[in-house]
Amino acid sequence: MADTQVSQVPRRQNLAPLLMPLAVGGLIAVGLGVYGRVHLPTGYAIGPAGFSGPLAMKAWLTTGAFVLAVVQLLSALVMWGRIRLEAPWIGTLHRWSGRAAFLLTVPVAFHCLYALGAQFDAPRVMIHSLLGCFFYGVFTAKMLALPRRGLPGWTLPVLGGLTFTALTGLWLTSSLWFFTTIGITL
């Protein structure tokens, strides 16, 4: 009697193409953290045009980035077939909402690093500082992984999920804190 079963040998995934994006992302995260710690904070970075102050500016821009990150999550779920929706424009929505979300974070990060620096004296602020560094590191890794071929199928969902999680944590430790402590002001 011949054995008709084909043996199932697990296929090895080549992680080498992922090393460079992860290494560069790690360097970005560490570099931002080191800069934030060694840079003497100025207390002032950019004028909060249209806002009552820098904290309000940061809270609202981060809220905008967070809302766009939710759009990113939902559009990614559609693109990966987890939400059934016939939407040929979903890839364009995903790319542009990601670009806009990132752009909204830039003045916030600039103000945080230049004016305040990385701070570790209070738990909320320490978590926020670490998440900010992690966000830019994992975002960099995701962007560098996008054009690479031969990556394991889980790479982009994991990096995208980590980016979303980091931005959610940033929103919780900054904008939500601002709105519940200071109030909803422009």
Side-chain angles (χ1 to χ4, degrees), residues 27-66:
L27 288 172
I28 294 290
V30 170
L32 288 172
V34 168
Y35 175 80
R37 279 307 281 169
V38 301
H39 166 70
L40 184 61
T42 64
Y44 180 78
I46 54 177
F51 297 98
S52 60
L55 290 180
M57 175 202 66
K58 289 167 42 178
W60 284 106
L61 291 180
T62 303
T63 298
F66 175 68

Side-chain angles (χ1 to χ4, degrees), residues 154-186:
W154 52 263
T155 302
L156 293 178
V158 167
L159 292 175
L162 289 171
T163 303
F164 177 80
T165 301
L167 190 55
T168 300
L170 287 167
W171 184 81
L172 291 170
T173 58
S174 62
S175 298
L176 181 63
W177 172 86
F178 177 83
F179 295 138
T180 58
T181 305
I182 309 290
I184 298 179
T185 65
L186 284 178

Side-chain angles (χ1 to χ4, degrees), residues 36-139:
R37 279 307 281 169
V38 301
H39 166 70
L40 184 61
T42 64
Y44 180 78
I46 54 177
F51 297 98
S52 60
L55 290 180
M57 175 202 66
K58 289 167 42 178
W60 284 106
L61 291 180
T62 303
T63 298
F66 175 68
V67 168
L68 289 168
V70 171
V71 171
Q72 283 273 286
L73 175 66
L74 295 173
S75 60
L77 290 172
V78 171
M79 289 178 0
W80 289 90
R82 300 291 188 217
I83 295 176
R84 302 251 183 245
L85 178 66
E86 189 63 39
W89 43 265
I90 204 74
T92 302
L93 174 66
H94 186 79
R95 283 187 300 279
W96 281 101
S97 62
R99 290 171 182 154
F102 177 77
L103 288 175
L104 287 176
T105 69
V106 172
V108 175
F110 177 75
H111 188 274
C112 286
L113 281 170
Y114 189 72
L116 305 174
Q119 299 178 19
F120 301 115
D121 51 347
R124 178 191 65 81
V125 178
M126 177 186 72
I127 291 167
H128 184 76
S129 293
L130 293 172
L131 280 172
C133 296
F134 179 74
F135 169 77
Y136 280 98
V138 75
F139 176 82

